[in-house]
Amino acid sequence: MDPTPAPEAAPGASSSSSSAANAAAAEDLAGGVAAMTLEERFATLRGIGEECIQEDELMRLLQNKPVPVCYDGFEPSGRMHIAQGIVKTINVNKMVRAGCKVKIWIADWFAQLNNKMGGDLKKIQTVGRYMIEIWKAAGMNLDGVEFLWSSEEINKCAHEYWPLVMDIARKNNVKRITRCCQIMGRSDQEELTAAQIFYPCMQCADIFFLKADICQLGMDQRKVNMLAREYCDDIKRKNKPIILSHHMLPGFKEGQEKMSKSDPSSAIFMEDDEAQVNVKIKQAFCPPKIVEGNPCLEYIKYIVFPWFGKFEVIRKESNGGNKTFLTMDELISDYESGALHPADVKPALAKAINEILQPVRDHFNNNSEAKVLLNTVKSDQLSGVHFARRISPFAIFEC
């Protein structure tokens, strides 16, 4: 991977330099599109999603719009794990390569609504800046990427945003909205604050507010994306946002369908050192000959192969000797037969992950500003856990 990162402005920065950068990026995107066939662009984008709604709409979009707008977003809520860091980098780079303009929505207001970092907006924005630093260091191609802070953009265009949110809320009942609460990491059985019920209406509005053609989010965000398509039916809008939902990486423990920040041993964080990565992978669930529900194999499929295009196993001749796998199917065949053992997979996976993460570690070790951001996020996350227990539910509305 050969990224060309560009410096990113914090909220409130001047727009003159960013306008020039956007114009240059548009020219680069046009050149990239010309170098790929329609079928290649479609295959690149379709390869991102575990699910695509709808494939025929995606093909028509690429035929009719040279530079589609892809919407991705994140809620700054603490340290970044490898699914947020590397999988997002891989997917964004594919979208840019396919000629898309990627708008990454830094959902700081949403994190406040969801009571992350104790509801402290300044701490949340510090997390947002830390995450952008990680993507730059990891190799995200920022030529076709625009980072937008929700608090800033919504305030600038409140006359557009809030009537849209209100209309979405008016056209849906509470039961339909609470079914979308999975997007916040919440169950519809939990007792929700009024702010959290409002959250799905806002996220649905984001799609239209950002003029997104494609919603590129995880499978856990599917329900609110479908709400946006249903809203198009309500308002008789023909062009619906295309949903391209990527796979959710599991945690390292048996039965963990999704990586969890609350259980550090189940997830690799982007600034974990080599020893931490080695220990977590060594302890990971990885049953011999079993592919289904095997988190180590999922890491290889969704991180190592997209990053390197291969998976290298180093082992003694008595254990079969070194082998380089060029496809996941080949690896699965050997694993199911027993020719490839967990004791072969784990050290090879740890080596690959450490190689991917090393530039990020170097950045946070060598860049003084990045180091301060990381230390601040770590300390704020700890204090935020205790503060969240006593924060007023109305604090987000207080001046």
Side-chain angles (χ1 to χ4, degrees):
M1 302 181 71
D2 185 20
T4 311
E8 181 57 40
S14 170
S15 62
S16 58
S17 59
S18 63
S19 297
N22 288 342
E27 290 183 12
D28 291 339
L29 285 176
V33 171
M36 298 179 73
T37 66
L38 176 64
E39 290 73 20
E40 287 170 337
R41 294 176 65 204
F42 175 85
T44 299
L45 288 174
R46 184 61 186 89
I48 293 171
E50 180 173 296
E51 178 185 61
C52 176
I53 303 175
Q54 298 280 348
E55 289 187 353
D56 58 333
E57 294 177 17
L58 177 59
M59 181 61 82
R60 281 199 302 273
L61 174 67
L62 295 176
Q63 287 172 329
N64 298 326
K65 190 168 184 177
V67 184
V69 174
C70 289
Y71 152 70
D72 196 350
F74 69 97
E75 186 184 274
S77 58
R79 293 175 66 197
M80 182 187 285
H81 56 55
I82 199 169
Q84 290 176 308
I86 298 304
V87 174
K88 190 182 290 292
T89 295
I90 291 168
N91 290 342
V92 167
N93 287 356
K94 286 182 177 180
M95 289 186 278
V96 173
R97 195 181 314 133
C100 297
K101 170 69 175 290
V102 181
K103 293 183 178 181
I104 297 185
W105 192 235
I106 310 173
D108 50 354
W109 262 8
F110 292 77
Q112 189 178 45
L113 284 171
N114 207 10
N115 208 26
K116 297 299 175 69
M117 307 305 292
D120 188 318
L121 190 60
K122 288 184 179 179
K123 291 181 179 181
I124 289 166
Q125 290 174 343
T126 298
V127 175
R129 290 192 293 272
Y130 144 85
M131 293 177 127
I132 292 171
E133 284 296 313
I134 286 183
W135 286 318
K136 290 178 181 178
M140 182 179 285
N141 184 350
L142 301 183
D143 288 345
V145 174
E146 184 179 10
F147 289 104
L148 299 166
W149 296 79
S150 67
S151 57
E152 180 182 355
E153 297 301 317
I154 291 171
N155 277 334
K156 283 195 303 187
C157 300
H159 62 289
E160 295 178 18
Y161 187 81
W162 292 115
L164 182 57
V165 173
M166 292 169 64
D167 195 50
I168 291 168
R170 193 170 58 84
K171 287 182 167 60
N172 289 278
N173 58 39
V174 173
K175 185 176 181 181
R176 177 68 183 91
I177 295 301
T178 54
R179 286 207 303 269
C180 294
C181 289
Q182 180 187 8
I183 65 175
M184 298 179 285
R186 310 283 179 180
S187 163
D188 58 5
Q189 303 301 313
E190 289 185 50
E191 184 175 346
L192 303 171
T193 66
Q196 287 167 333
I197 292 175
F198 210 49
Y199 188 121
C201 298
M202 292 174 64
Q203 185 170 327
C204 182
D206 294 342
I207 296 166
F208 303 100
F209 181 68
L210 296 172
K211 298 177 172 58
D213 301 301
I214 300 171
C215 299
Q216 205 298 287
L217 299 165
M219 287 294 292
D220 61 336
Q221 306 294 301
R222 183 184 188 278
K223 289 182 180 179
V224 76
N225 290 335
M226 290 301 296
L227 183 71
R229 287 180 64 90
E230 292 168 9
Y231 178 66
C232 288
D233 291 332
D234 291 335
I235 62 174
K236 310 297 188 233
R237 173 175 166 152
K238 183 179 179 182
N239 294 324
K240 299 180 180 181
I242 295 158
I243 304 172
L244 202 59
S245 304
H246 66 253
H247 179 76
M248 303 296 295
L249 275 182
F252 275 133
K253 296 182 179 179
E254 183 177 3
Q256 283 185 323
E257 294 183 359
K258 185 180 176 182
M259 206 177 293
S260 172
K261 291 183 183 180
S262 60
D263 183 0
S265 65
S266 77
I268 290 174
F269 293 95
M270 290 297 293
E271 69 282 347
D272 276 350
D273 62 33
E274 188 171 337
Q276 289 172 317
V277 170
N278 292 342
V279 168
K280 289 177 181 181
I281 293 178
K282 185 177 181 179
Q283 296 175 348
F285 179 65
C286 189
K289 300 184 179 182
I290 303 297
V291 173
E292 190 71 26
N294 188 322
C296 290
L297 298 193
E298 292 222 12
Y299 270 62
I300 295 168
K301 179 178 180 180
Y302 292 101
I303 293 180
V304 179
F305 269 112
W307 197 270
F308 295 109
K310 60 184 178 181
F311 182 68
E312 296 180 320
V313 172
I314 308 297
R315 57 190 174 186
K316 296 177 181 178
E317 287 295 330
S318 58
N319 292 331
N322 299 346
K323 184 167 183 178
T324 299
F325 294 92
L326 298 179
T327 69
M328 193 65 198
D329 287 342
E330 180 188 10
L331 186 148
I332 287 173
S333 177
D334 271 21
Y335 195 82
E336 287 182 327
S337 71
L340 183 65
H341 191 270
D344 305 324
V345 167
K346 288 186 174 184
L349 174 58
K351 181 177 183 294
I353 295 298
N354 277 316
E355 187 173 339
I356 292 170
L357 294 184
Q358 193 56 48
V360 178
R361 297 181 190 128
D362 292 343
H363 180 66
F364 281 94
N365 284 331
N366 301 329
N367 184 295
S368 58
E369 292 181 8
K371 186 181 291 187
V372 169
L373 273 176
L374 173 59
N375 291 335
T376 302
V377 167
K378 285 182 175 179
S379 62
D380 283 351
Q381 190 167 22
L382 288 175
S383 62
V385 168
H386 303 295
F387 183 64
R389 294 172 183 162
R390 62 179 186 273
I391 189 170
S392 162
F394 302 105
I396 59 172
F397 301 112
E398 294 170 2
C399 297

